[in-house]
Amino acid sequence: MNTKPKTEQRNPDTMHIDTMPTADILSILQNENKKAVNALDAALPQITEACEQIAKRMLRGGRLIYVGAGTSGRLGVLDAAECPPTFGVPRELVCGVIAGGEGCMFRASENAEDRAENGKADLEEKRINDFDCVVGISAAGNAAYVLGALEYAKSCGALTVGVTNNYGCKLEKTADITITADTGPEPITGSTRMKAGSAQKMILNMISTTVMIKLGYVYENLMINLRPSNEKLRRRVISIVCDIHNCDEETAVKLLETADWSIRGTL
């Protein structure tokens, strides 16, 4: 019996990928990509619960904090970094914490995930409270750094959510809500930057987008908290106001000037 997590097992469909023609390599990788997307179907109830619970706490002043190591950590930092420009929220409202610190965004530090005490220490710096929501991300679901962070967050009364790619992992026993995208063995054994990482990226996008919608940062399907910080965004802001008010650009600019270039202020 194979006791390894699925994400660490060998994929029988790619055993001879090293001898395949380029077109066949890409075809099989694309087939594996599709499995990452399909794996989210079974996890939708847990993603739903997480989004609803996170939104409730954030409406009371809480924050959304992603915690992970390696690829998982980078994906959390990435999703957090994209929230301010997309939804116009403060940087501290959604933040990412990666094992080993910011330098590990650019240079891998494989042993950083083994230190539970560092996960706790990094969250202590965030001064977690019972309105906050901490999402721990770990493909195998056993990263000590992530578990240490979640255990500390729970002790502070925060909501804890686990995002993993393996059932029966330690993360399931620690998190209040566990989202499992069962993506199976990777095309290249253990390389969870592939299917597992793709599934994690989609889950985090779904969480942050859904929560921001529920917090009122989206009108219809438009970003109404967008700030015109460069020419591209200025044009987008004008376009959004044109769509909302069914007006021409000249009228949109006048509305925005009156509202200090706040889309929300034109509603």
Side-chain angles (χ1 to χ4, degrees):
M1 180 178 177
N2 196 335
T3 59
K4 292 180 181 179
K6 277 190 179 180
T7 51
E8 299 296 324
Q9 295 176 19
R10 295 188 71 181
N11 188 325
D13 295 330
T14 61
M15 293 289 282
H16 304 293
I17 198 169
D18 60 326
T19 61
M20 290 179 178
T22 302
D24 290 349
I25 292 173
L26 294 173
S27 177
I28 201 166
L29 291 180
Q30 174 60 358
N31 285 334
E32 295 296 312
N33 287 338
K34 293 174 184 176
K35 294 177 184 178
V37 176
N38 293 335
L40 269 59
D41 289 343
L44 282 174
Q46 291 73 37
I47 299 173
T48 300
E49 183 182 3
C51 289
E52 290 179 345
Q53 294 300 322
I54 291 169
K56 283 180 183 178
R57 294 196 180 216
M58 293 186 76
L59 283 169
R60 298 166 64 193
R63 298 167 293 171
L64 172 57
I65 300 169
Y66 295 125
V67 181
T71 297
S72 297
R74 293 182 195 99
L75 291 171
V77 172
L78 174 62
D79 197 71
E82 291 176 341
C83 285
T86 305
F87 301 107
V89 297
R91 289 174 57 88
E92 61 271 14
L93 188 67
V94 184
C95 56
V97 179
I98 182 171
E102 290 184 4
C104 289
M105 281 294 295
F106 308 99
R107 179 173 295 181
S109 178
E110 288 82 1
N111 64 346
E113 69 178 69
D114 296 332
R115 299 166 184 160
E117 66 275 14
N118 288 2
K120 175 185 176 182
D122 287 348
L123 281 202
E124 283 179 330
E125 292 184 4
K126 295 293 183 184
R127 299 187 177 183
I128 302 297
N129 62 59
D130 56 2
F131 292 157
D132 291 332
C133 309
V134 178
V135 178
I137 316 156
S138 171
N142 300 315
Y145 177 88
V146 175
L147 296 171
L150 290 192
E151 287 168 358
Y152 173 74
K154 287 187 77 169
S155 74
C156 297
L159 175 74
T160 57
V161 178
V163 176
T164 184
N165 302 91
N166 284 287
Y167 289 109
C169 62
K170 293 179 181 178
L171 202 58
E172 283 186 350
K173 300 180 179 69
T174 304
D176 297 313
I177 302 168
T178 304
I179 300 167
T180 304
D182 184 6
T183 49
E186 293 290 356
I188 306 302
T189 307
S191 182
T192 52
R193 69 184 182 86
M194 303 185 80
K195 284 190 300 182
S198 295
Q200 290 172 8
K201 175 70 164 65
M202 289 185 283
I203 289 168
L204 301 188
N205 274 345
M206 292 168 79
I207 290 173
S208 58
T209 300
T210 302
V211 168
M212 292 299 150
I213 291 170
K214 295 181 77 67
L215 293 183
Y217 292 110
V218 174
Y219 173 76
E220 295 180 347
N221 62 351
L222 299 169
M223 298 180 286
I224 57 170
N225 240 38
L226 194 66
R227 300 300 297 177
S229 56
N230 61 31
E231 183 59 29
K232 179 188 76 173
L233 293 179
R234 185 178 186 275
R235 300 305 309 169
R236 185 177 293 168
V237 166
I238 293 170
S239 176
I240 289 172
V241 172
C242 287
D243 286 342
I244 291 173
H245 296 284
N246 193 27
C247 64
D248 58 27
E249 289 192 2
E250 183 179 353
T251 302
V253 170
K254 289 179 180 178
L255 288 169
L256 284 163
E257 287 175 344
T258 301
D260 192 27
W261 283 84
S262 165
I263 299 172
R264 189 187 292 273
T266 73
L267 297 177

